[in-house]
């Protein structure tokens, strides 16, 4: 039985273009990019070429891009680095209740250092409350962090409005674009965003790669101390292979978007939802019905326990997730679905299907044959228990 992978918000398979881009770094392109000799210069060339390419993709070739070990480090550097650099100007940070733990936990650590936090509520579709944002800003506010699109339910946040409000008040704005980069319009020249986190493996690159975009003039306190790498903001020898991989993955993802890739993904996702609804009663959609990532489908199945379903679907060769991958393995209910105010049973029965570059129409049709009998079985077993 061929496994069907529908967990692309957790990570995507490595793209063939990435394999090709990485190969030289496993062979003779092993130099340290800080070395001045030809071996070093060869890797430096790739690092700077990818940096330039990502900055152009983000719409601000004059901005700075700091390579990190992933989206998590980019979020930590964006939030904690900015807050600590501005410590003498204020002590207040604002974030949404549905941020990834990389932002939430970074902010909680700052609270232990004496910063004050305001956590913005979201509505039942997961959209942040802009009025609450306006009310929360004080003269002490240093930074607002609101993600571009949510990893669990896919809801797209009104980041242009958030950025406009931040600008009016002279507050920095960080957005976690780990799930949205290459899928949604994101242009730092046209949009009032100062800091943007991205991650390589979500694009089909390698795990352990990411970057933080930093608008010119924005000051950051580094998290890691060491050499002067990455403009003094991230010590440590840059990983040529991972950076080349992220560059190739971003290029392929953006090219795909230009030729209707997102419409294709949305059509497959909607076919999955429609097919499940035709065969099964008791399904509710979590997240915004329209303002949502094209490949994300978070559904609650009544009378089911998400973890039980996940395991049963795994046995049927379908890989999905409950809530965020980072929270899976724990029995804590999803903080995102809780913030949306969903009933306990609806949260317990939620499953996230997420599609990516490699998902095919045949896989969706096969998933539609495999999933409904599993759900019926899990429902019957729960009823009988
Ligand atoms: C929205 C969001 N932010 C940050 C991260 C962390 O990225 P990484 O896995 O590259 O550390 C993830 C990954 O799950 C994510 O979905």
């Amino acid at each position: 039985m061929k496994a069907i992978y529908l967990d692309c918000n957790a990570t995507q398979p490595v793209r063939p273009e990435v394999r090709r881009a990485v190969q030289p770094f496993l062979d003779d392109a092993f130099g340290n990019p800080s070395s001045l000799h030809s071996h070093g210069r060869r890797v430096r060339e790739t690092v700077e070429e990818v940096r330039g390419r990502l900055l152009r993709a983000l719409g601000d070739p004059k901005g700075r891009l700091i390579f990190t070990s992933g989206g998590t480090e980019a979020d930590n550097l964006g939030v904690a680095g900015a807050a600590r650099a501005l410590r003498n100007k204020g002590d207040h940070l604002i974030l949404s209740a549905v941020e990834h733990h990389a932002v939430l936990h970074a902010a909680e650590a700052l609270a232990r250092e004496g910063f004050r936090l305001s956590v913005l509520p979201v509505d039942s579709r997961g959209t942040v409350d802009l009025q609450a944002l306006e009310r929360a800003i004080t003269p002490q506010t240093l930074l607002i962090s609101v993600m571009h699109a949510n990893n669990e339910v896919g809801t797209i946040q009104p980041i242009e409005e958030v950025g406009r409000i931040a600008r009016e008040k002279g507050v920095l704005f960080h957005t976690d674009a780990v799930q949205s980069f290459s899928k949604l319009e994101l242009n730092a020249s046209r949009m009032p965003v100062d800091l943007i986190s991205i991650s390589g493996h979500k694009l089909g690159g390698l795990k352990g790669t990411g970057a933080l975009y930093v608008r010119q003039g924005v000051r950051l306190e580094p998290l890691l101390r060491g050499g002067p790498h990455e403009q003094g903001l991230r010590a440590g020898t840059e990983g040529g292979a991972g950076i080349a991989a992220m560059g190739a993955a971003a290029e392929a993802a953006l090219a795909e978007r230009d030729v209707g890739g997102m419409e294709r993904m949305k059509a497959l996702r909607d076919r999955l939802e429609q097919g499940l609804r035709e065969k099964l009663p008791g399904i509710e959609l979590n997240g915004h019905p329209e303002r949502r990532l094209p490949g994300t489908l978070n559904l609650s199945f009544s009378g089911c326990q998400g973890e039980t379903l996940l395991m049963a679907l795994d046995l049927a060769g379908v890989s999905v997730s409950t809530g965020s991958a980072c929270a899976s393995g724990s029995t804590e209910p999803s903080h995102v679905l809780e913030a949306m105010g969903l009933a306990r049973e609806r949260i317990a029965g939620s499953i996230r299907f997420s599609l990516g570059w490699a998902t095919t129409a045949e896989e969706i049709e096969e998933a539609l044959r495999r999933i409904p009998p599993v759900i019926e079985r899990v429902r019957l077993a729960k009823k009988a228990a």
Side-chain angles (χ1 to χ4, degrees), residues 307 310 322 324-332:
E307 279 76 23
L310 184 149
T322 56
S324 72
C326 322
S328 68
S330 83
T331 48
E332 289 288 302

Side-chain angles (χ1 to χ4, degrees), residues 32-279:
N32 182 327
S34 297
S35 299
L36 297 179
H37 48 60
S38 65
H39 287 86
R41 289 200 310 275
R42 175 160 181 209
V43 182
R44 172 60 55 198
E45 218 168 80
T46 298
V47 170
E48 298 313 320
E49 191 272 316
V50 173
R51 197 190 311 279
R53 190 186 309 171
L54 291 174
L55 281 170
R56 284 193 299 281
L58 288 164
D60 183 9
K62 295 207 176 91
R64 284 184 292 168
L65 192 97
I66 310 301
F67 288 115
T68 66
S69 65
T72 298
E73 189 189 331
D75 279 342
N76 273 264
L77 181 59
V79 173
R84 289 183 189 135
L86 292 173
R87 187 69 177 99
N88 59 352
K89 294 226 168 87
D91 65 353
H92 181 228
L93 313 171
I94 301 175
L95 53 145
S96 88
V98 295
E99 294 304 302
H100 190 270
H101 282 138
V103 167
L104 281 178
H105 292 168
E108 283 163 16
L110 290 169
R112 290 192 289 276
E113 289 174 22
F115 286 93
R116 290 176 305 118
L117 303 184
S118 294
V119 180
L120 301 175
V122 295
D123 65 16
S124 61
R125 296 162 158 188
T127 308
V128 76
D129 182 339
L130 291 175
Q131 284 173 353
L133 170 64
E134 299 211 54
R135 284 195 303 272
I137 297 176
T138 76
Q140 297 301 308
T141 308
L142 302 173
L143 178 80
I144 297 168
S145 186
V146 172
M147 70 202 317
H148 193 187
N150 184 265
N151 45 304
E152 294 191 35
V153 293
T155 298
I156 299 168
Q157 299 296 350
I159 61 163
E160 290 192 58
E161 283 89 333
V162 172
R164 209 170 305 129
I165 294 167
R167 276 278 156 87
E168 272 169 26
K169 305 279 185 184
V171 176
L172 282 183
F173 176 35
H174 165 257
T175 195
D176 174 338
V178 164
Q179 293 291 344
S180 65
F181 176 63
S182 86
K183 295 186 186 134
L184 307 177
E185 174 69 16
L186 179 61
N187 186 305
S189 296
R190 286 201 294 274
M191 293 160 119
V193 186
D194 302 302
L195 297 152
I196 302 173
S197 300
I198 63 173
S199 167
H201 72 102
K202 308 283 182 180
L203 307 169
L206 299 182
K207 277 74 165 162
T209 61
L212 179 70
Y213 158 82
V214 185
R215 185 177 293 287
Q216 256 193 352
V218 171
R219 282 196 300 126
L220 291 180
E221 174 96 13
L223 301 177
L224 301 182
R225 305 289 167 177
H229 313 87
E230 295 302 295
Q231 301 152 63
L233 291 175
R234 204 281 182 181
T237 303
E238 293 95 341
I243 289 171
M246 185 157 53
E251 188 177 17
L254 291 162
E256 209 166 77
R257 185 177 76 179
D258 288 347
V259 294
M262 294 308 106
E263 290 74 16
R264 183 192 80 89
M265 211 190 293
K266 183 172 176 299
L268 290 182
R269 176 199 71 188
D270 292 346
R271 164 71 189 130
L272 179 61
E273 179 179 358
Q274 173 227 348
L276 291 173
R277 285 188 188 280
E278 274 167 14
K279 293 183 182 172

